[in-house]
Amino acid sequence: MDTSESPEDKDESFYFKLDTLPPEIFLHICSFLSAKYVINVLSQVCEKFRDIIENESTWRMRIFESWPNRYPLVPAPADFDWKEACIEREDHYDLWKNKAENMHLYHLKDAHFGSVNVVSLLEEGSMCASGGRDGALKLWSISSLEEETNPRDYLSCLINSTTGAHGSAWLWSLTYDKSNKTLYSGGFDCNIKTWDLENPSVVLSTHSLSSPILCLAYSDNNLTSGCYGRSVSLFDPRTNLQPVWQHIHHQRPVICIVNDDKHVISGSEDKSIIVYDKSARKVLKTINLEGFPLSMSYEYGQLLVGDVLGSIHVIDPVSGNFDLLKSYESGHKTKITGIQHSLGSVMTCSTDKTIRVLEPSENPSIITVLNVGSEVSKISAYKTTLASANTDDSISIWLPKEEEEL
């Protein structure tokens, strides 16, 4: 006679159920998995898991346990996305910390006839625009680089080359309007030119200023420029680049510029950063530095400035006061020529021939140092794809390897 118990007769405590797993045990298990996997996969397992994963404190605590220094660099706004921040911090740290195993490096030699002054990643990192001292504007297919096995064939990834885009003058600055697929270039010929990404060999419009254009920025349907002649100008691209206003408040050339829907922020060789109120048409604030600013990055409610002394300055724009919160050394031996930050990292380039990838937190540790081999004029990053403009006529591109390769 079979005396074995049926499943119904057994003690229910014998069965292991996922939805009865204590939260602290579940979170401990999650600590061994990537944030991306936990958010995208485990959140679909059951309602209890989803509730834990959707809790903001889960990701704030996870970031703090891995990187205890203050993050973000400015007080986090109410809508700060802690889940996305955790994904990006882990992605950037893991990829760049082990760059030899995780990243492809493509070196486009002789990209221009002369130093490459600027690069800009476009279309979610699938394309790269570059400008150089040869006056040429070039477009490169980043997605095609992985198909080439011989470095000599990288030039086949050139989509378009407009020789003499700014005559014989240096092409010095680029900015991009993603929604309209429009590229703007500024040069030492004192011209701002508009290019259609669908037909990049044809100039859509040209606007002339009285001095060389050293920096451009596009945001919120506004194009802004900074010039060698100390002027800052605001244009409405919808009116064929007709200037809305122009002002001169700096004492020396304007080197870098960014803007938002209310302000234009410019940095100059006079060692000042000026915050200009678009609506009131007056200077809101002047910030004086020891060394003049060379580059700025304005993302995620944070304004970071790199200067000629190799320092990084953190400015809080959220309150509208643009307070200088902190300044710290980047580790570069010379001036910071470019800076770009995201939720996952702070990237800087320098004339010391390196690019540094730093943690995006207070008193940041170095994630990695990239030795480029020549002075770096500018960088451009999209997520974990990075491009650099180099003074040895080349462009360097770092691309993450496909997950199946890792």
Side-chain angles (χ1 to χ4, degrees), residues 252-305:
R252 300 201 65 183
V254 180
I255 304 298
C256 49
I257 196 164
V258 293
N259 63 54
D260 59 26
D261 59 335
K262 297 179 181 178
H263 311 95
V264 176
I265 305 102
S266 54
S268 167
E269 280 188 3
D270 63 10
K271 301 182 182 180
S272 74
I273 297 170
I274 287 181
V275 182
Y276 190 82
D277 188 311
K278 290 181 182 179
S279 300
R281 297 199 179 187
K282 66 178 183 180
V283 174
L284 178 66
K285 189 163 190 172
T286 300
I287 302 170
N288 294 304
L289 305 175
E290 290 186 17
F292 66 80
L294 275 172
S295 54
M296 293 193 286
S297 177
Y298 191 6
E299 297 286 348
Y300 304 102
Q302 302 176 96
L303 175 59
L304 302 189
V305 180

Side-chain angles (χ1 to χ4, degrees), residues 76-329:
D79 60 349
F80 189 78
D81 192 337
W82 287 97
K83 286 195 298 182
E84 185 61 28
C86 194
I87 289 175
E88 287 208 25
R89 290 213 63 172
E90 290 185 5
D91 280 354
H92 284 235
Y93 185 86
D94 292 341
L95 285 171
W96 288 112
K97 195 68 176 178
N98 302 292
K99 60 182 182 293
E101 294 80 17
N102 299 335
M103 304 295 288
H104 282 303
L105 169 59
Y106 301 93
H107 195 61
L108 282 62
K109 296 182 179 180
D110 302 320
H112 285 261
F113 294 106
S115 296
V116 185
N117 294 328
V118 62
V119 287
S120 180
L121 290 174
L122 316 173
E123 297 299 285
E124 299 183 339
S126 65
M127 298 173 61
C128 180
S130 64
R133 295 193 180 186
D134 56 3
L137 172 63
K138 297 188 177 185
L139 291 176
W140 307 84
S141 173
I142 301 302
S143 55
S144 299
L145 286 173
E146 295 176 288
E147 300 172 7
E148 299 293 350
T149 57
N150 190 336
R152 295 180 180 178
D153 296 330
Y154 289 163
L155 288 177
S156 66
C157 299
L158 182 64
I159 300 171
N160 184 78
S161 177
T162 304
T163 304
H166 284 263
S168 59
W170 296 355
L171 194 162
W172 197 255
S173 54
L174 292 169
T175 192
Y176 183 54
D177 172 6
K178 179 181 178 180
S179 60
N180 294 308
K181 294 191 175 184
T182 303
L183 186 66
Y184 300 96
S185 63
F188 270 49
D189 60 350
C190 309
N191 289 324
I192 299 174
K193 297 194 176 186
T194 309
W195 310 84
D196 182 359
L197 208 61
E198 302 291 342
N199 187 15
S201 60
V202 178
V203 181
L204 295 180
S205 64
T206 300
H207 183 82
S208 298
L209 295 174
S210 58
S211 66
I213 290 88
L214 302 183
C215 50
L216 292 171
Y218 179 88
S219 179
D220 298 293
N221 292 318
N222 287 161
L223 176 70
T224 50
S225 69
C227 293
Y228 183 83
R230 302 178 290 124
S231 67
V232 171
S233 303
L234 175 71
F235 304 90
D236 185 348
R238 296 167 295 184
T239 60
N240 200 27
L241 283 189
Q242 291 303 308
V244 178
W245 50 252
Q246 183 180 90
H247 67 76
I248 297 178
H249 292 291
H250 287 290
Q251 303 303 310
R252 300 201 65 183
V254 180
I255 304 298
C256 49
I257 196 164
V258 293
N259 63 54
D260 59 26
D261 59 335
K262 297 179 181 178
H263 311 95
V264 176
I265 305 102
S266 54
S268 167
E269 280 188 3
D270 63 10
K271 301 182 182 180
S272 74
I273 297 170
I274 287 181
V275 182
Y276 190 82
D277 188 311
K278 290 181 182 179
S279 300
R281 297 199 179 187
K282 66 178 183 180
V283 174
L284 178 66
K285 189 163 190 172
T286 300
I287 302 170
N288 294 304
L289 305 175
E290 290 186 17
F292 66 80
L294 275 172
S295 54
M296 293 193 286
S297 177
Y298 191 6
E299 297 286 348
Y300 304 102
Q302 302 176 96
L303 175 59
L304 302 189
V305 180
D307 73 16
V308 72
L309 301 178
S311 298
I312 296 175
H313 308 278
V314 181
I315 297 172
D316 179 9
V318 175
S319 63
N321 295 326
F322 288 86
D323 295 322
L324 177 60
L325 299 184
K326 187 176 179 63
S327 300
Y328 57 88
E329 297 302 315

